[in-house]
Amino acid sequence: MASGGTARTLGVVRTQRQVVDYALQRRALLADVYAGRVGVMEVCDASPYLLRAAKFHGEPSAVTCPVCRKEPLTLVSWVYGDELKHASGSARGTEELAKMATLFQEFSVYVVEVCRTCSWNHLVQSYVLGKRGLRGGRSSRRTAAE
Ligand SMILES: [Zn+2]
């Protein structure tokens, strides 16, 4: 009963939609790495910015790093959207995402897995959050611009 599972990160928010999974691309890239067709240096290239985001906003996953196998991967969620203004392009924790989903109509989330030991990183999933996803809610009306 030791495993925490990744369910904590996903499906928390009711308005989650347009989910895209990048497992196939990840598997293909890893196959290339294992076969030596792609260098480890090329794929283990997390920027200091991404590593810092993993440290402060990351969620631990149950998946061990596929490259160095030294530690579990950390999941970092990046948010993008016009509505978010200056917050677009920043990393957010799960609780913040849930809160933002009730504040904004629509924004995109890109979940990236990062290994803080060897700097492997890959896009895992993207999805859309926001009030627009609530069916029949008051939010279906267009918000008056200021
Ligand atoms: Zn690693």
Side-chain angles (χ1 to χ4, degrees):
M1 292 288 172
S3 64
T6 51
R8 245 177 95 210
T9 334
L10 314 171
V12 174
V13 182
R14 209 152 42 99
T15 58
Q16 188 184 43
R17 56 199 183 273
Q18 293 175 41
V19 179
V20 181
D21 193 282
Y22 296 90
L24 280 179
Q25 290 90 329
R26 179 186 188 273
R27 210 173 302 155
L29 178 59
L30 282 170
D32 282 345
V33 172
Y34 296 149
R37 288 188 293 267
V38 172
V40 169
M41 296 289 278
E42 287 173 57
V43 292
C44 296
D45 61 348
S47 66
Y49 187 58
L50 176 55
L51 290 170
R52 210 171 58 226
K55 187 175 177 185
F56 294 107
H57 305 283
E59 300 280 336
S61 81
V63 181
T64 303
C65 174
V67 178
C68 72
R69 303 190 190 280
K70 281 186 180 142
E71 66 161 71
L73 296 165
T74 302
L75 298 175
V76 185
S77 299
W78 299 90
V79 294
Y80 294 92
D82 293 341
E83 261 184 283
L84 308 183
K85 306 246 166 69
H86 67 275
S88 182
S90 62
R92 299 287 151 163
T94 309
E95 279 172 35
E96 281 177 292
L97 288 178
K99 197 188 295 173
M100 288 171 72
T102 66
L103 294 174
F104 299 100
Q105 293 296 328
E106 196 160 84
F107 61 95
S108 301
V109 182
Y110 289 86
V111 183
V112 176
E113 65 179 26
V114 190
C115 173
R116 291 169 62 193
T117 296
C118 75
S119 297
W120 154 261
N121 61 103
H122 198 270
L123 183 61
V124 175
Q125 194 184 48
S126 68
Y127 55 88
V128 171
L129 286 181
K131 292 188 286 186
R132 194 170 289 165
L134 290 173
R135 251 180 255 152
R138 267 160 270 152
S139 57
S140 59
R141 262 179 60 198
R142 198 177 294 178
T143 321
E146 280 176 28

